[in-house]
Amino acid sequence: MSTDTRTQDPDGHGAPVGRRLLLGTVAAGAAALVAAPVLRRGLEAGLGAAADRDPTGLTGLLPNGGGFRYYSVAASVPERGPADYRLRVDGLVERPMTYDLAALRGMPQTRVVRDVQCVTGWRVPGTSFEGVPVMRLLDAAGVRPEGRAIRFTCFDGTYTESLTLPQARRDDVMVALSMQDRPLEHGHGGPARLYVAPMYFYKSAKWLSGITVTREAEPGYWEELGYDVDAWVGRSNGRDDAPTV
Ligand SMILES: Nc1nc2c(c(=O)[nH]1)N[C@H]1C(S)=C(S)[C@@H](COP(=O)(O)O)O[C@H]1N2
Ligand SMILES: [Mo]
């Protein structure tokens, strides 16, 4: 393990920026060519402090990952499948619900094809996700009037995320059960992860186990460390790539 005092855990958060750029270039090849300017722009825009704490948990490239990188802030995560996977919907709702995999698979599925974009720069173009819109689960539970936001929790026991209610109700926000037309594998957060298509990939919490309706959006794992809670791709975390209309 590194003796760098900025390294806070085994996944290498806080690795010096220079080393991270080098690693990215070596490991990600062509993807890094795309990534570097984005990251630099972020740094120039004052993202330095957050980026210093970054590598957002990179622990290696996924085999056959097609450009994906494997991230987990937890050292190990148990595998869950049809027998023991559960998704709990609770908090400020009329009817708390618990779903198993069969129940989720039995619901109408939605499909979204978008570029996956990590805030550190790597990108996987044209990636399909299929699953149950979060909106449907919220409607089934009945959000109470004081519910304004969602907290997402994970069975890795560590990671959390949040969305405002209007964000969670978008039709491109789902509990994803498959990716690239295959059941979501453990490494990618299977059997079910959150997928927030319009935001940086850190919003897409892997190994999803809880959807809790709250009064206000609470910063998630990386957001406590400086990333934006509203994580729109190209319009957050120091970037402003959106064309002005
Ligand atoms: N539970 C959990 N979800 C997570 C993370 C994590 O460390 N733990 N990392 C996030 C980050 S920073 C990214 S880029 C993506 C990576 O997803 P992948 O491992 O499928 O490539 O997952 C996000 N969701
Ligand atoms: Mo990330």
Side-chain angles (χ1 to χ4, degrees):
M1 271 310 112
S2 168
T3 52
D4 185 329
T5 50
R6 282 171 295 176
T7 298
Q8 290 157 12
D9 66 33
D11 297 321
H13 309 142
V17 170
R19 195 187 113 225
R20 199 155 40 76
L21 281 171
L22 181 65
L23 280 176
T25 306
V26 172
L33 297 177
V34 178
V38 175
L39 183 57
R40 260 202 309 279
R41 246 182 296 149
L43 291 171
E44 281 161 14
L47 194 66
D52 249 10
R53 287 188 294 266
D54 180 56
T56 49
L58 172 62
T59 54
L61 289 169
L62 284 169
N64 306 317
F68 280 92
R69 302 191 191 182
Y70 175 72
Y71 283 72
S72 175
V73 297
S76 75
V77 182
E79 296 216 13
R80 291 198 186 166
D84 56 359
Y85 176 79
R86 297 290 182 277
L87 176 64
R88 174 88 179 153
V89 182
D90 60 11
L92 300 171
V93 297
E94 305 293 349
R95 299 169 293 278
M97 312 271 280
T98 302
Y99 296 86
D100 62 15
L101 263 186
L104 290 174
R105 286 174 179 154
M107 296 177 76
Q109 310 283 301
T110 186
R111 178 182 171 89
V112 172
V113 183
R114 234 39 99 64
D115 296 353
V116 159
Q117 181 72 60
C118 172
V119 72
T120 58
W122 59 272
R123 187 170 64 98
V124 184
T127 306
S128 65
F129 284 88
E130 277 175 50
V132 180
V134 170
M135 177 174 31
R136 293 194 75 96
L137 300 170
L138 294 175
D139 287 347
V143 175
R144 302 217 305 249
E146 63 271 31
R148 297 274 165 74
I150 318 289
R151 178 174 64 237
F152 298 93
T153 46
C154 306
F155 65 82
D156 65 5
T158 306
Y159 206 77
T160 57
E161 256 307 336
S162 66
L163 290 171
T164 65
L165 194 57
Q167 290 166 357
R169 297 186 64 86
R170 291 174 58 109
D171 57 11
D172 55 1
V173 173
M174 70 174 84
V175 176
L177 303 174
S178 78
M179 188 182 86
Q180 290 167 326
D181 300 313
R182 301 210 321 258
L184 199 64
E185 51 195 61
H186 179 71
H188 281 300
R193 80 185 291 169
L194 181 65
Y195 174 57
V196 183
M199 295 194 179
Y200 288 110
F201 210 25
Y202 64 83
K203 298 300 288 191
S204 294
K206 297 159 62 163
W207 307 296
L208 186 67
S209 57
I211 296 178
T212 302
V213 179
T214 59
R215 285 175 195 275
E216 286 170 35
E218 300 162 11
Y221 184 93
W222 285 113
E223 295 147 13
E224 293 281 9
L225 295 169
Y227 287 88
D228 287 351
V229 178
D230 285 336
W232 307 105
V233 171
R235 289 190 284 131
S236 64
N237 293 289
R239 294 164 180 83
D240 186 10
D241 302 342
T244 40
V245 188

